[in-house]
Amino acid sequence: MSLTTSRKIFLSYKYRDTNVQELSEYLPDEDTDYMHTPRHYVDYIIDLIGSDHIYKGEKSDDDASHLSDDSIDSRLKAKIFDSSITLVLLSPNMWEKNKLIKNQWIPQEISYSLRTKTRNGVVSKHNGILAVALPDYYGSYDYAVIKKPCGVTQWQTYSYFPIIGNNMFNRKIKNQEPCSGCFSNHHYGYNHSYIHPVKWDDFIINHNLFIDLVAGHRDNIDNFEVVKSL
């Protein structure tokens, strides 16, 4: 699929989730306690999309340690405001179950991405959102997606933040067909979810395909039952 538009992309991810497979291209350092984390996948994505798109998130050499939570919140919102696509990296420990959801960055960033925003009289509409599942430490995706005995792929939406799971398989007019193996209806095609899920291995093969896909969802948001609240 040929690229027709260069897009501004914001990445949302759990910085210090160490339960992800290592990327041999990137050596962990003191910043991540010498462990591989989603931060290294962000670096990979920046290198991957650099010539096609504009990255609007935090970079590995951005030092925000001196900033308050309010300042970081304001800075991140400014970056989301100036983007049209949000990529959220799913990882095994992205959701800290011992913390209130409203106090965690990823659901806040997704909620803000789903809104029409106004800053200084300028309006920025909702972002298209792509959820990219990262492989865990052992290279498995089972925490995020499994293959059922009938052969159908099942995304484990209950394991994601509710604002992510609630915006998957939320097309108003469902694309479904019955399964002769398990006797239930399954979604098919690429237009079943406003937040479209994809495995890392598939994303890096043809990232523009999936970026263009959610850009199309952005333009047709009324086709989906979108949940914007945490």
Side-chain angles (χ1 to χ4, degrees):
M1 182 174 184
S2 61
L3 177 70
T4 57
T5 305
S6 178
R7 310 185 194 281
K8 295 181 178 180
I9 297 174
F10 177 85
L11 266 76
S12 180
Y13 61 99
K14 182 67 174 177
Y15 189 91
R16 293 186 181 275
D17 185 351
T18 58
N19 189 8
V20 294
Q21 189 174 42
E22 70 174 56
L23 289 172
S24 58
E25 301 94 328
Y26 302 94
L27 295 175
D29 55 23
E30 183 179 3
D31 188 48
T32 57
D33 297 326
Y34 299 98
M35 301 288 288
H36 287 272
T37 78
R39 173 68 249 178
H40 301 103
Y41 285 82
V42 172
D43 291 337
Y44 190 108
I45 291 172
I46 292 172
D47 292 340
L48 182 69
I49 71 174
S51 60
D52 297 331
H53 305 284
I54 302 170
Y55 172 64
K56 297 298 298 182
E58 300 294 294
K59 298 180 180 178
S60 58
D61 57 356
D62 285 347
D63 181 11
S65 60
H66 63 289
L67 299 176
S68 66
D69 283 351
D70 287 343
S71 295
I72 294 172
D73 180 58
S74 178
R75 189 160 88 170
L76 291 175
K77 284 182 176 179
K79 291 177 181 292
I80 297 171
F81 181 87
D82 193 35
S83 65
S84 60
I85 303 294
T86 295
L87 265 61
V88 55
L89 303 185
L90 305 179
S91 60
N93 300 325
M94 64 184 293
W95 183 357
E96 295 184 60
K97 299 296 180 64
N98 62 336
K99 291 177 61 176
L100 294 174
I101 288 177
K102 67 179 182 179
N103 293 334
Q104 300 186 56
W105 287 111
I106 292 174
Q108 291 186 56
E109 291 165 355
I110 299 305
S111 178
Y112 193 68
S113 294
L114 288 167
R115 304 175 197 165
T116 297
K117 299 144 312 252
T118 303
R119 295 170 70 94
N120 301 320
V122 178
V123 177
S124 175
K125 69 176 187 178
H126 45 267
N127 283 15
I129 303 179
L130 182 67
V132 181
L134 305 182
D136 71 12
Y137 184 85
Y138 298 101
S140 171
Y141 290 97
D142 286 355
Y143 77 92
V145 58
I146 61 172
K147 183 75 76 172
K148 297 182 66 175
C150 63
V152 169
T153 297
Q154 178 175 297
W155 289 89
Q156 310 285 66
T157 55
Y158 65 87
S159 68
Y160 322 144
F161 286 108
I163 195 169
I164 297 175
N166 289 338
N167 285 296
M168 291 180 178
F169 306 102
N170 61 333
R171 184 180 173 87
K172 291 177 181 177
I173 300 176
K174 307 296 184 186
N175 293 330
Q176 291 182 316
E177 57 185 15
C179 174
S180 59
C182 66
F183 304 104
S184 59
N185 292 321
H186 298 302
H187 299 267
Y188 65 91
Y190 284 102
N191 296 311
H192 47 65
S193 304
Y194 188 79
I195 298 182
H196 186 83
V198 60
K199 293 195 296 186
W200 171 258
D201 290 342
D202 295 325
F203 171 73
I204 60 175
I205 290 173
N206 194 347
H207 61 281
N208 283 327
L209 169 68
F210 296 103
I211 290 171
D212 286 348
L213 173 69
V214 297
H217 291 175
R218 180 182 188 239
D219 296 333
N220 296 283
I221 193 171
D222 291 340
N223 291 338
F224 301 89
E225 295 285 355
V226 175
V227 177
K228 301 180 181 180
S229 61
L230 300 182

